[in-house]
Amino acid sequence: LEQLKKLPGEGLVHHHAIKRSTDGLWYRVSEWIDSESWGSLLASGQLRDLGLLLDLFHQMASILNVLHHHGHFIPHLILSDIIAAKENGDELRIKIDYKLSRFIDPWLDRPSPVLKKLLSTHPDIINERPLDFKSDIWSLGKVFVELLSGDLEIHHLEARVDELDLPGELAVLLRVMLADDPDLRPQSMAEIA
């Protein structure tokens, strides 16, 4: 928590304290954000605007780039860790929630279905490779494909990229982000941004 407090505040959910209840359960006190549901944003059609999605992707990659420069990464990144909030009327701003519990106990006994799916499909986790910023790149690629396709239950990410009507450079970026071999992925979040 002290390390996270040293990070620039822009783009990250602020954590104020980690406490233990009288029955022994740990909990955190974090900033309140009045967020938009990704499901509602998809259903409303707002995310059909490729320009808006690219802006949101840029915000996500830029926030993760700052984390990487401070030596932190989020290999278990899923869509529910990324919060969209409306500012200045309808402008969507991204904040990322650095889920401390996954680092305190990376073998959570009750992961959410979305996290469970990530844990069973992420090539670095499956192949028991050391997790690092390139693991984040794969996870962010998965999030991008979910939002671009409007399908939060995708099973074959690479095939879905081929089905999407995307500008060539974006399709190539997604394919390399989702490469099984970490050395084939982009070398930094700055490159992706």
Side-chain angles (χ1 to χ4, degrees):
L1 183 61
E2 291 306 315
Q3 290 298 313
L4 290 178
K5 285 181 180 179
K6 294 177 185 176
L7 295 174
E10 184 77 21
L12 295 172
V13 174
H14 298 283
H15 300 298
H16 303 294
I18 298 175
K19 298 184 176 189
R20 194 170 200 168
S21 66
T22 55
D23 59 358
L25 293 175
W26 288 94
Y27 66 95
R28 66 183 170 145
V29 179
S30 300
E31 111 183 81
W32 175 263
I33 298 172
D34 194 12
S35 64
E36 299 292 319
S37 150
W38 287 109
S40 297
L41 289 170
L42 285 165
S44 73
Q46 289 182 55
L47 299 184
R48 287 191 201 124
D49 177 349
L50 186 58
L52 172 62
L53 274 175
L54 289 175
D55 175 58
L56 296 177
F57 296 165
H58 180 263
Q59 289 181 54
M60 292 172 199
S62 297
I63 295 165
L64 290 169
N65 185 47
V66 170
L67 276 176
H68 291 176
H69 280 294
H70 284 83
H72 299 278
F73 53 92
I74 312 175
H76 312 102
L77 184 74
I78 56 177
L79 191 56
S80 61
D81 299 333
I82 302 169
I83 299 168
K86 286 192 177 172
E87 290 182 0
N88 304 326
D90 286 340
E91 181 183 355
L92 288 173
R93 301 302 309 158
I94 295 296
K95 282 207 170 200
I96 294 182
D97 188 4
Y98 197 96
K99 297 287 177 67
L100 300 168
S101 59
R102 293 185 203 150
F103 294 90
I104 294 169
D105 180 7
W107 307 108
L108 293 172
D109 57 349
R110 292 181 310 252
S112 70
V114 176
L115 179 57
K116 192 178 220 176
K117 183 175 179 192
L118 174 88
L119 295 173
S120 68
T121 59
H122 196 302
D124 297 352
I125 294 170
I126 292 170
N127 294 307
E128 298 182 0
R129 297 180 191 128
L131 301 177
D132 63 12
F133 71 93
K134 288 185 181 180
S135 305
D136 282 17
I137 288 172
W138 189 92
S139 296
L140 187 60
K142 178 182 181 295
V143 167
F144 285 2
V145 174
E146 289 169 344
L147 289 175
L148 284 163
S149 66
D151 183 353
L152 306 180
E153 298 292 329
I154 297 173
H155 295 285
H156 303 288
L157 293 164
E158 297 83 2
R160 184 55 64 92
V161 171
D162 294 336
E163 295 169 6
L164 295 169
D165 182 26
L166 299 173
E169 291 140 344
L170 180 56
V172 169
L173 174 63
L174 290 170
R175 283 189 200 100
V176 296
M177 288 176 76
L178 294 168
D180 183 63
D181 182 347
D183 292 332
L184 298 177
R185 297 177 199 150
Q187 297 303 299
S188 70
M189 278 294 177
E191 236 180 89
I192 294 166

